[in-house]
Amino acid sequence: MNDTILVLDFGSQTNQLIARRIRELGVYSKLIHPKDIEKEDLTVVKGIILSGGPHSVYQKDAPTVTKAIYSWDIPILGICYGMQLMCHQLGGTVEASHKEFGITPIEVGSSPFLKTLPKRFNVWMSHEDSVLRLPEGFRSIAHSKTTENVIIEHQNQRWFALQYHPEVVHTDYGNEILNRFIEQTEAKRTWTMPNFIQEKTIDIRNLVKDGHVICALSGGVDSSVVAALLNHILKDQFTPIFVDHGLLRKGEREQVEHTFTQQFQMNLITVDAKELFLRKLKGIRSPEKKRKIIGHTFIEVFEDAMQKVGQANFLAQGTLYTDLIESGTKTAAKIKSHHNVGGLPKNLKLTLIEPLDTLFKDEVRALGKALGLPDSIVYRKPFPGPGIAIRILGDITEDKIRMVQESDAIFKEELIKSELDSSIWQYFTVLTNAKTVGVMGDKRTYDYVLALRAVTSLDGMTADFAQIPYPVLQKISTRITNEVPGINRVCYDITSKPPGTIEWE
Ligand code: XMP
């Protein structure tokens, strides 16, 4: 077990970032509900961080934590609300005063905790309350113009607190402060990908014994990393199943097959189900129906393929830490049923293995690299499970799939050539169901309008259209209208999300 620093989640938007920063500094860290702290194995907990949050400690129902933590001889760091809670619980006073928002200069005094930091630097504040009177044993070691207690420390215990947010990029020396706290905890810095692989090898071997594991491989980052990890650990006791539903991008099946059979020598089962999917989708125009049909057909095909493997008793899935946090807390309205193809029903009578469920996305990428996956997979752009089906408006035909695949490949080629590829979150082409009149080689044409969609985004929740220079757009448009029969007009989608979504369906 890794030495751990727990982050007690009091609800701030940036709490996940605290755990990420601690991990980047080499110590395993996770967010937990404050109520769950007593369920943790305290022998590995080397430090506790009380996070920020939107409440006031005096509010009715303000979140709190058992006062027992102050008797455990475990170093504690309070951040923003966490600082106020700590002071409130230990007998200080917190009041609605001296509020500060945004970048704020602070001045620091002398303390071993702040050694090597400059005397003045900027931090990012976001608080309405502040600590007016410190609990006994504490002293202030930094202040701002309006707030006396910006960084505080206890004189005998390893308790520290910050009124600002060290985890956000706008704060200077944020990582240094978190690093100082880690030093105080004496936690071993064992959080590296080679260690993660070693630990998972022991866990998964103990669990699987001489059993057999399968997984649905989509070629996306998460399922590819799961497959590479399980292949590394289990070799012949692992079989990935790749369903080609015919709605992938050009060359994708070949790339997946090449990587996993040639490079990794896996017993990959590829199911060519193009015709079945096309048949089931025939004449279907509604986006939601398309998603549902694809989801159900995928399960059917997957279950069929499982029979070929024979005696599987475990199913591996690429669930990430953020998936767990989000599904546990988010109550967002349903805009689209993001039926993830590969999201398999629970009644398969297989034990679920989710080896990535403690990892953030960037750690999954680091793991993929450590396992030898190529950059084309590790840095692959997000691709929806229903694939091209939701990029063809209206009914789906083989010819329309070809138009989207060919145009998408050209779009990709030109963005890579002009070095725009890596700065764009996601890009693709959409075949609108509209036809327009054009002229080609002196002849009238009546063909489809194609839309280019390219967005910048941090997490896919909001997005803006990418500002691709006109000459690049011009080249893409010329190539598509020349090289892809059936398309005589190209438009660029300049809608942000909201009000649009990234996909068109
Ligand atoms: P939207 O269109 O909702 O997309 O702005 C946000 C992100 O989700 C992807 N997306 C899907 N992924 N199944 C998936 O696995 C789906 O049905 C689906 N619909 C959208 C989209 O590509 C983008 O990355």
Side-chain angles (χ1 to χ4, degrees), residues 291 335-341 382-386 390-391 425-426 428 460-461 497 500-505:
R291 280 191 171 80
I335 310 291
K336 299 172 187 182
S337 62
H338 276 206
H339 188 122
N340 228 339
V341 169
F383 185 68
I390 55 165
R391 295 176 179 172
W425 159 269
Q426 195 174 5
F428 50 89
M461 305 295 284
K497 171 184 178 175
T501 52
I502 296 177
E503 304 288 345
W504 276 36
E505 284 200 332

Side-chain angles (χ1 to χ4, degrees), residues 445-456:
T445 59
Y446 187 57
D447 282 335
Y448 284 108
V449 182
L450 183 93
L452 305 175
R453 180 68 163 148
V455 295
T456 53

